[in-house]
Amino acid sequence: MALIDIFKKKKVQPEVVDGTSDVATVVGTTSTGHVVIASNVDWKNKGIQDAGCSNADLNAFHAGFQSVFAQSKKSQELDSEMQEKMKATLQKEIEGLEGEKSGKETKLGQEQEKLKDIQDSIDQKNDDKSKIKSGVTQSNRTNTVNLWIGTFLITLLTVYLFIFYSSTAYSAFFRDWSIGLTNEGDIKVIKKIFDGEAVVKAFQEGPLAGLFVLFLPIVFMALGYVAHHSGKNSQGFSKYAKVTLMYLMTFAFDFLLAYNIGKHAYDAESVIAEVTPPPYNVGLAIVDSNFWMVIFCGFVAYVIWGLLYGFVMDCYNRKMDNTAILRELDNQIARLKDAKVEQQNKINELQVQINQLIAKIKQKQHEYFSNVRYDFEAIKQHLADYYRGWVAYMGISDINTGNLAAAHAQEMALVNDWMDGIKNRFKQKQEDNQ
């Protein structure tokens, strides 16, 4: 028999437990047979009425508060429409959480791919390092030996060029060829070119002469240096044109030195022979052994110095290039490792978020399939309205509300314990199903 038929048959008004009946709707009865009214009651007014009927007695407050609490719970338990609405709301929340989880999982997959790419890059860089180290070991050994030998030879050759060009510069521009040549016969070729005390004698001629003889060899080495770098930093016709120009300038300088020394030697030999030979000219220079001795001892040595300098620099650059490449690879690997840590942190954060969403989804699912669902906020609102009714009455009656506040806090602690128990029950079910 339907509940409404019982009321009709008995022709009685429903017992209003939680408010006035003119705005209330009967939704069922408690286990003791009391009629339960829906949640459209003015609970604040109910609090005022209960406070007035009991003259704000705290025992009445405790009983009334528990009654409102019990009726609110029972109303929600028997309100099938509310239960269905909450179920529909939970379904939407579950779908929303599932969608959010799916998005996070997609993002997680993308971030994991990025992490894999970073790790692949690190592995590739390490492989490149291994290949460079293993591939250039023997080459580096040979390169190092060539570098040391080349450095040793170019050092000796630099000393030779300094001695040669300082001596020829002094012989060509400052030497007095008449001193010590009388009755010596033909001057030896080596004496026509070299003078072991050229720098000292040049400074005796004056500081400018000394500095000229001292620094002239640097001109030739500078020409060799410029020739090497001009050829290295240029391409095509420009490269060969610059190198050819540097060598032509050096040869022209050597030609002048050789010609001047040959002329002085020719004139000195003429004086010794007490003859008047034809004037010294290019034709005589070309067939003069003195001229070619200067050319070969100077220009050829200079060319060898330039080539040797280029060889030494190439050995050095190859050695430094490998070192620079390995250093840059180390820097790249360090940056990639930092990026890997950052990427792993992103993945860990996403995994935590996904796990939290999974926990929320399971909790909502347990609530969804539960027989009874409660709107905790609505229950708290009913209780708060009832409490405000008591406060309002006691304020009007000029009754101190301090004890009421303590009683309310005590009752709310019980309510919160009940709500926490419901939540923990869902949580426990969730953990049991994991």
Side-chain angles (χ1 to χ4, degrees), residues 46-59:
K46 171 66 173 172
I48 293 173
Q49 291 177 5
D50 287 355
C53 292
S54 64
N55 196 25
D57 181 72
L58 290 181
N59 291 326

PDB file of all heavy atoms in Angstrom, residues 46-59:
ATOM      1  N   LYS A  46      12.770  27.270  11.951  1.00  0.00           N
ATOM      2  CA  LYS A  46      12.618  26.121  12.819  1.00  0.00           C
ATOM      3  C   LYS A  46      13.484  26.278  14.067  1.00  0.00           C
ATOM      4  O   LYS A  46      13.067  25.963  15.193  1.00  0.00           O
ATOM      5  CB  LYS A  46      13.021  24.866  12.047  1.00  0.00           C
ATOM      6  CG  LYS A  46      13.122  23.586  12.880  1.00  0.00           C
ATOM      7  CD  LYS A  46      11.792  23.141  13.423  1.00  0.00           C
ATOM      8  CE  LYS A  46      11.926  21.780  14.106  1.00  0.00           C
ATOM      9  NZ  LYS A  46      10.701  21.389  14.824  1.00  0.00           N
ATOM     10  N   GLY A  47      14.733  26.799  13.898  1.00  0.00           N
ATOM     11  CA  GLY A  47      15.606  27.037  15.031  1.00  0.00           C
ATOM     12  C   GLY A  47      15.052  28.079  15.977  1.00  0.00           C
ATOM     13  O   GLY A  47      15.135  27.938  17.206  1.00  0.00           O
ATOM     14  N   ILE A  48      14.484  29.128  15.403  1.00  0.00           N
ATOM     15  CA  ILE A  48      13.878  30.178  16.252  1.00  0.00           C
ATOM     16  C   ILE A  48      12.737  29.583  17.074  1.00  0.00           C
ATOM     17  O   ILE A  48      12.609  29.844  18.275  1.00  0.00           O
ATOM     18  CB  ILE A  48      13.382  31.338  15.375  1.00  0.00           C
ATOM     19  CG1 ILE A  48      14.579  32.065  14.722  1.00  0.00           C
ATOM     20  CG2 ILE A  48      12.557  32.326  16.200  1.00  0.00           C
ATOM     21  CD1 ILE A  48      14.188  33.114  13.713  1.00  0.00           C
ATOM     22  N   GLN A  49      11.856  28.780  16.420  1.00  0.00           N
ATOM     23  CA  GLN A  49      10.708  28.176  17.118  1.00  0.00           C
ATOM     24  C   GLN A  49      11.181  27.250  18.239  1.00  0.00           C
ATOM     25  O   GLN A  49      10.665  27.315  19.377  1.00  0.00           O
ATOM     26  CB  GLN A  49       9.855  27.401  16.116  1.00  0.00           C
ATOM     27  CG  GLN A  49       9.130  28.274  15.113  1.00  0.00           C
ATOM     28  CD  GLN A  49       8.361  27.464  14.092  1.00  0.00           C
ATOM     29  OE1 GLN A  49       8.299  26.223  14.189  1.00  0.00           O
ATOM     30  NE2 GLN A  49       7.748  28.134  13.139  1.00  0.00           N
ATOM     31  N   ASP A  50      12.181  26.384  17.946  1.00  0.00           N
ATOM     32  CA  ASP A  50      12.656  25.445  18.966  1.00  0.00           C
ATOM     33  C   ASP A  50      13.302  26.176  20.127  1.00  0.00           C
ATOM     34  O   ASP A  50      13.129  25.799  21.304  1.00  0.00           O
ATOM     35  CB  ASP A  50      13.651  24.460  18.357  1.00  0.00           C
ATOM     36  CG  ASP A  50      12.976  23.437  17.453  1.00  0.00           C
ATOM     37  OD1 ASP A  50      11.740  23.442  17.390  1.00  0.00           O
ATOM     38  OD2 ASP A  50      13.706  22.644  16.807  1.00  0.00           O
ATOM     39  N   ALA A  51      14.048  27.225  19.824  1.00  0.00           N
ATOM     40  CA  ALA A  51      14.678  28.009  20.889  1.00  0.00           C
ATOM     41  C   ALA A  51      13.630  28.682  21.754  1.00  0.00           C
ATOM     42  O   ALA A  51      13.748  28.734  22.990  1.00  0.00           O
ATOM     43  CB  ALA A  51      15.631  29.041  20.285  1.00  0.00           C
ATOM     44  N   GLY A  52      12.565  29.181  21.110  1.00  0.00           N
ATOM     45  CA  GLY A  52      11.512  29.852  21.865  1.00  0.00           C
ATOM     46  C   GLY A  52      10.731  28.880  22.726  1.00  0.00           C
ATOM     47  O   GLY A  52      10.380  29.189  23.877  1.00  0.00           O
ATOM     48  N   CYS A  53      10.433  27.693  22.201  1.00  0.00           N
ATOM     49  CA  CYS A  53       9.653  26.707  22.951  1.00  0.00           C
ATOM     50  C   CYS A  53      10.407  26.200  24.177  1.00  0.00           C
ATOM     51  O   CYS A  53       9.815  25.848  25.198  1.00  0.00           O
ATOM     52  CB  CYS A  53       9.273  25.532  22.064  1.00  0.00           C
ATOM     53  SG  CYS A  53       8.091  25.969  20.765  1.00  0.00           S
ATOM     54  N   SER A  54      11.754  26.160  24.090  1.00  0.00           N
ATOM     55  CA  SER A  54      12.551  25.609  25.192  1.00  0.00           C
ATOM     56  C   SER A  54      13.243  26.687  26.007  1.00  0.00           C
ATOM     57  O   SER A  54      14.038  26.378  26.892  1.00  0.00           O
ATOM     58  CB  SER A  54      13.598  24.652  24.638  1.00  0.00           C
ATOM     59  OG  SER A  54      14.516  25.365  23.806  1.00  0.00           O
ATOM     60  N   ASN A  55      12.943  27.952  25.666  1.00  0.00           N
ATOM     61  CA  ASN A  55      13.599  29.085  26.332  1.00  0.00           C
ATOM     62  C   ASN A  55      15.121  28.944  26.218  1.00  0.00           C
ATOM     63  O   ASN A  55      15.866  29.194  27.157  1.00  0.00           O
ATOM     64  CB  ASN A  55      13.180  29.175  27.799  1.00  0.00           C
ATOM     65  CG  ASN A  55      13.531  30.542  28.406  1.00  0.00           C
ATOM     66  OD1 ASN A  55      13.649  31.542  27.690  1.00  0.00           O
ATOM     67  ND2 ASN A  55      13.711  30.576  29.720  1.00  0.00           N
ATOM     68  N   ALA A  56      15.563  28.544  25.012  1.00  0.00           N
ATOM     69  CA  ALA A  56      16.992  28.438  24.666  1.00  0.00           C
ATOM     70  C   ALA A  56      17.732  27.468  25.558  1.00  0.00           C
ATOM     71  O   ALA A  56      18.912  27.676  25.880  1.00  0.00           O
ATOM     72  CB  ALA A  56      17.641  29.815  24.668  1.00  0.00           C
ATOM     73  N   ASP A  57      17.091  26.387  25.945  1.00  0.00           N
ATOM     74  CA  ASP A  57      17.763  25.374  26.755  1.00  0.00           C
ATOM     75  C   ASP A  57      18.739  24.590  25.861  1.00  0.00           C
ATOM     76  O   ASP A  57      18.391  24.136  24.769  1.00  0.00           O
ATOM     77  CB  ASP A  57      16.729  24.428  27.365  1.00  0.00           C
ATOM     78  CG  ASP A  57      17.379  23.378  28.237  1.00  0.00           C
ATOM     79  OD1 ASP A  57      17.854  23.727  29.333  1.00  0.00           O
ATOM     80  OD2 ASP A  57      17.434  22.208  27.782  1.00  0.00           O
ATOM     81  N   LEU A  58      19.981  24.414  26.380  1.00  0.00           N
ATOM     82  CA  LEU A  58      21.016  23.773  25.563  1.00  0.00           C
ATOM     83  C   LEU A  58      20.707  22.309  25.289  1.00  0.00           C
ATOM     84  O   LEU A  58      21.057  21.772  24.232  1.00  0.00           O
ATOM     85  CB  LEU A  58      22.385  23.889  26.243  1.00  0.00           C
ATOM     86  CG  LEU A  58      22.990  25.306  26.272  1.00  0.00           C
ATOM     87  CD1 LEU A  58      24.342  25.276  26.953  1.00  0.00           C
ATOM     88  CD2 LEU A  58      23.126  25.854  24.856  1.00  0.00           C
ATOM     89  N   ASN A  59      20.040  21.633  26.216  1.00  0.00           N
ATOM     90  CA  ASN A  59      19.670  20.243  25.971  1.00  0.00           C
ATOM     91  C   ASN A  59      18.707  20.151  24.792  1.00  0.00           C
ATOM     92  O   ASN A  59      18.782  19.233  23.968  1.00  0.00           O
ATOM     93  CB  ASN A  59      19.045  19.631  27.215  1.00  0.00           C
ATOM     94  CG  ASN A  59      20.054  19.441  28.336  1.00  0.00           C
ATOM     95  OD1 ASN A  59      21.217  19.165  28.071  1.00  0.00           O
ATOM     96  ND2 ASN A  59      19.618  19.596  29.593  1.00  0.00           N
TER      97      ASN A  59
END
